[in-house]
Every structure is written in C-alpha cells, then in structure tokens.
Amino acid sequence: MGSMAAFGGWGIKVPPQPGPMLYFVMEGSALFRAGEGETTGLSAGDFVLSGNPIADSFFSRPGEKIVLSDDDFKARHLADGEIIIGNVGEGSATRIVGGCILCDPTNADLLSELLPRLVHVKVGEGIGARLGGLISYIRDEAENARVGSDLILSRLLEVLLIETLRREASRLLHPGMLRGLSDPQLARAIGDIHSDVRRGWTIADLAQRAGMSRSAFARRFSEAVGLAPVEYLLRWRMAVAKDALRYSRCSLEEIAEKVGYRSASAFSTAFSQRVGCPPSEYAKMSLAT
C-alpha cells in the first residue's frame, strides 16, 4: 500500500506495476487516466480497479504537467510514509491510497485477460453491503497503522478484487474469460475444460455439455471469451503446463500426459510454438528467477 497527498495544481504517473492496482480517494478529487484511455473524474469515497496498470496517471486538471513517480521521485517527496506533491497549503489536500495485487508471474497474462481494464465505483453508487463494508475496513486499516496492518490489508484487497469481479461479470462489454464465466452455459463448458484439461475436448463435446448446438456454442463462446473454444483449451493447457514446469517435480512425460498430449515430443513441439522456448528451457529459466 502507498499513500499520496496532493495540493494545488499537480500531475503524477504511476510506474508500471506487477499486478492490478486498486486506488482509493480518501479526500478531495482528481482526474484519472489509464494509459491512453479516457479521463475519469474521481471524488472522495470513490475507488478504481486498474486491471493492467502500465501507465496510470492522476492529475488535478487537464493540461497539468505529469511527473513519473519513480524511486528517485518518491525519495525526494516522501514524508512520514506519504508522498507529498504540489504546493503544500494551496487549497485542500487530495489524498489517494493505492494497493497492488501481486500475482504469480507464471500465468499473469491470463489474469490480465480476466480483469476488466478499468472499474470505477463511485461513492454514491449502490454497491451493496459487502463491497461497501470491505472498503470501510480498508480505509480504516490504511488510515490507522496498527500491528499486522500490512497483512490484513493484503487479504482485504484480495477479497475486494474478487467481489469487484463478481460485480462486473454481468456488465462486461469486452470479451474475456470473466465474461464467459458470467454466462451459465459457457461457464459449464469452461469449467469442464479446467477440471479435465487432459481430455481431447471437441466443439461437439463442449456444446453438448453446454446444452447448445455446435454452431451456436462456437459463436457465443468466441464472442464472449474472445477465443475459439479449441484455442482456449490449448491456451489453458499451456497455462497448466507452465505451472507444472515451474513448481512440480514431474517428468516431461508426466506433464505431457497431464495436459492431454500423447507424447513428450508432441507436447514439447506445441509448448515451443506457443511459449517461445522448449519446456526444459522454460523450467531452467523459472528456477533462475
């Protein structure tokens, strides 16, 4: 977690982060932009989920100079655990607290695809007792440092991320796994793929499990998830394989069988084509990191 207090005219860019970011406006107001996206106005009590925080920026008004908040900048502007920017005393402070959801880098690309690029929850929005209660707890922990606050905050942020995804699932416009999971029929097929990745699933098999015709299932799956069903199966197999290569002691033959390949050579060829290196090389690189 990190905190920033800004005064007067100001602009700041957050460096690329290793996981999705959650930002809370504790006081004041600000403008927010994710990368080259649209500008969003934020008020006290709002929070933002940035699913792919490569170049998030906050600023007081359009046209303000935006400065990168790198390590040098933070060292020069850090006071009592908080980054201070702008002209202190010029107007009321805008205070923003941010937290990063760290994830295993093995399949971080899948999480990136799962998350919406931007979720903005306004203070006056009817978000329900669960989401509102979590935000209240997070604010309390962030504002009142106590023993174990970092651990509690990390767990609260994880729960808030899950609750936010639940809230967003039914209203997503862009394709992705989350949108597919929000469709009960597609969710059944996706669940089957996840639970039995070694099976040689066909579109006919998955369509039958979803209770749909082949053509209707293939069309709806592609529109919702952004990938054809067979392509999704192959990508999921690679995700499971990367995890096994990184963390298990299984042989190449065992991993190949686990993800649905009849031989280690067939698996190695498919893995190399999709990941960009042989499984053995990937495993060595994982051990080095």
Side-chain angles (χ1 to χ4, degrees):
M1 295 289 291
S3 179
M4 177 195 79
F7 301 83
W10 56 275
I12 192 166
K13 179 182 287 187
V14 181
Q17 298 296 307
M21 287 291 294
L22 290 164
Y23 302 107
F24 304 87
V25 183
M26 315 296 286
E27 302 174 30
S29 61
L31 297 174
F32 172 79
R33 186 168 58 235
E36 299 300 321
E38 296 182 1
T39 298
T40 302
L42 305 178
S43 302
D46 288 7
F47 93 88
V48 169
L49 164 65
S50 179
N52 188 23
I54 296 175
D56 292 345
S57 56
F58 295 86
F59 43 100
S60 57
R61 53 181 176 261
E64 287 289 348
K65 180 181 178 181
I66 297 177
V67 181
L68 179 65
S69 179
D70 57 15
D71 291 340
D72 290 340
F73 181 89
K74 291 176 182 177
R76 287 185 279 111
H77 292 82
L78 194 65
D80 297 325
E82 186 172 55
I83 296 173
I84 309 296
I85 63 173
N87 298 316
V88 177
E90 184 179 327
S92 300
T94 290
R95 182 165 279 104
I96 299 171
V97 173
C100 182
I101 305 293
L102 295 176
C103 56
D104 191 318
T106 306
N107 287 300
D109 56 334
L110 286 180
L111 178 61
S112 178
E113 292 175 5
L114 170 66
L115 294 175
R117 182 172 178 85
L118 177 67
V119 177
H120 174 203
V121 178
K122 300 179 181 179
V123 63
E125 187 178 334
I127 58 176
R130 290 173 66 85
L131 208 52
L134 280 169
I135 294 171
S136 296
Y137 278 126
I138 288 169
R139 285 180 182 151
D140 179 63
E141 287 294 336
E143 291 176 340
N144 303 286
R146 293 181 284 258
V147 175
S149 281
D150 288 345
L151 178 60
I152 292 173
L153 277 170
S154 67
R155 294 297 177 265
L156 288 173
L157 287 173
E158 289 173 4
V159 175
L160 180 60
L161 175 63
I162 294 168
E163 289 290 348
T164 302
L165 293 180
R166 280 180 173 177
R167 168 188 176 274
E168 288 297 301
S170 62
R171 59 175 79 182
L172 288 177
L173 299 177
H174 302 292
M177 192 199 303
L178 185 60
R179 184 174 164 192
L181 290 172
S182 70
D183 183 314
Q185 289 176 288
L186 297 183
R188 194 174 304 127
I190 292 172
D192 285 339
I193 290 173
H194 291 184
S195 63
D196 192 4
V197 72
R198 74 178 67 189
R199 179 169 171 174
W201 292 105
T202 65
I203 292 178
D205 293 333
L206 295 169
Q208 183 179 27
R209 301 295 282 261
M212 302 169 66
S213 69
R214 287 183 57 186
S215 59
F217 170 76
R219 181 175 61 255
R220 193 194 295 186
F221 192 102
S222 297
E223 289 174 351
V225 180
L227 297 169
V230 174
E231 174 64 18
Y232 181 84
L233 169 62
L234 292 175
R235 292 193 64 174
W236 190 256
R237 282 177 171 171
M238 292 303 108
V240 174
K242 286 195 288 184
D243 191 70
L245 288 165
R246 188 177 178 91
Y247 298 113
S248 79
R249 297 178 179 272
C250 295
S251 67
L252 200 60
E253 289 75 12
E254 290 171 327
I255 294 174
E257 194 274 334
K258 180 178 181 180
V259 296
Y261 289 88
R262 294 183 178 180
S263 69
S265 61
F267 164 65
S268 183
T269 299
F271 189 93
S272 299
Q273 290 174 343
R274 291 185 168 270
V275 180
C277 66
S280 57
E281 184 177 331
Y282 180 87
K284 290 178 182 177
M285 289 190 299
S286 297
L287 289 173
T289 58

